[in-house]
Amino acid sequence: MTDQSEPGNESPARRAHARAVAASSKGARVRMPAAQRREQLIAIGRQLFAERGFDATSVEEVASRAKVSKPVVYEHFGGKEGLYAVVVDREVRSLLDRIAAALTAGHPRELLEQAALALLDYIDEEPHGFQVLVRESPALSPGGNFSSVMNDVAHQVEHILGAEFRSRDLDPKLAELYSQALVGMVALVGQWWREARKPKKEMVAAHLVNLAWNGLSHLEAKPKLLTRPR
């Protein structure tokens, strides 16, 4: 992964996008330092890939929105494929970092809550980034899609489940199966919730954990989160 985020409360992409909007409102080309221009192009590409997908996005439109010539885009990324790769790389890292940072609890149920909430937070706060990941990836980027990201998350969950299985004298080899099942469930519900937006994400996470932790035969009537009260 080659693109590094800058420190601060806002992501580089968001800061660059805000500057791009301000520059565009002036109706003229604005000279920017190379690093700032790169961030602007990434922000614009991210939005276009989210709205239209890879195939329907063109270098011409990226350049037009940035109010630069096409050679500027080629100079920074070598073409649409390079820009797409950088955008996806950032989104993959952002989502995985969120989930890794969220897994701080000691109890497996709380860890499951934290993982579910981290994904729902990302969907809620980064809709363009999530849309980029869930769209069908071009053949040139087989690893840059939501399925591959969730597979990485499942491997993290597998280690947690493996330790829990061993402590209960269960076969740790089954941890991989259960991790794929749990992460797949959360991922599909997350995609559904992106459109539905009901109920609140904390309630969605609570019900996901209710099903995963208690099973259908032991569902709680009114599940509540331990890590983030509603």
Side-chain angles (χ1 to χ4, degrees):
M1 297 183 181
T2 56
D3 241 12
Q4 296 297 325
S5 298
E6 298 171 9
N9 294 329
E10 293 185 333
S11 67
R14 285 189 174 184
R15 290 195 295 271
H17 181 65
R19 288 192 292 265
V21 171
S24 298
S25 66
K26 298 178 182 178
R29 293 186 180 181
V30 177
R31 294 187 64 85
M32 295 181 182
Q36 185 177 338
R37 178 67 74 189
R38 177 181 174 85
E39 294 297 335
Q40 180 208 31
L41 293 171
I42 292 171
I44 291 171
R46 181 180 190 254
Q47 184 171 357
L48 285 172
F49 290 133
E51 293 172 354
R52 303 183 181 184
F54 176 82
D55 291 335
T57 299
S58 67
V59 171
E60 288 84 353
E61 186 161 11
V62 173
S64 176
R65 289 202 185 185
K67 299 188 182 301
V68 297
S69 62
K70 288 197 299 181
V72 174
V73 181
Y74 285 106
E75 178 184 349
H76 281 278
F77 305 101
K80 181 174 71 170
E81 294 81 1
L83 175 58
Y84 179 83
V86 171
V87 169
V88 170
D89 181 73
R90 283 193 171 191
E91 295 309 319
V92 169
R93 186 177 65 247
S94 175
L95 178 53
L96 291 177
D97 285 351
R98 277 174 178 259
I99 293 174
L103 299 178
T104 59
H107 194 279
R109 174 166 179 163
E110 293 179 335
L111 287 169
L112 183 58
E113 289 182 4
Q114 291 172 339
L117 284 167
L119 175 60
L120 293 170
D121 283 341
Y122 174 79
I123 294 171
D124 188 27
E125 297 165 11
E126 303 292 347
H128 284 154
F130 184 70
Q131 183 68 12
V132 169
L133 291 180
V134 297
R135 280 188 177 276
E136 185 176 355
S137 299
L140 60 96
S141 183
N145 55 41
F146 188 60
S147 178
S148 67
V149 176
M150 289 298 96
N151 194 52
D152 287 342
V153 175
H155 285 308
Q156 295 185 37
V157 174
E158 181 182 344
H159 295 299
I160 297 169
L161 288 181
E164 182 68 11
F165 279 22
R166 281 188 289 272
S167 71
R168 298 186 180 208
D169 294 325
L170 299 173
D171 185 358
K173 293 180 180 178
L174 292 174
E176 181 178 6
L177 184 157
Y178 278 87
S179 68
Q180 292 289 340
L182 288 172
V183 171
M185 177 180 69
V186 174
L188 284 175
V189 171
Q191 291 186 68
W192 162 80
W193 182 77
R194 176 189 57 169
E195 302 296 335
R197 293 293 173 168
K198 292 180 181 179
K200 293 182 178 180
K201 61 186 174 185
E202 288 81 9
M203 185 177 294
V204 173
H207 282 279
L208 281 169
V209 175
N210 188 29
L211 174 59
W213 188 256
N214 296 307
L216 287 172
S217 61
H218 296 91
L219 288 179
E220 298 172 356
K222 295 181 180 180
K224 295 182 180 180
L225 296 177
L226 301 178
T227 52
R228 190 188 299 182
R230 294 201 301 271

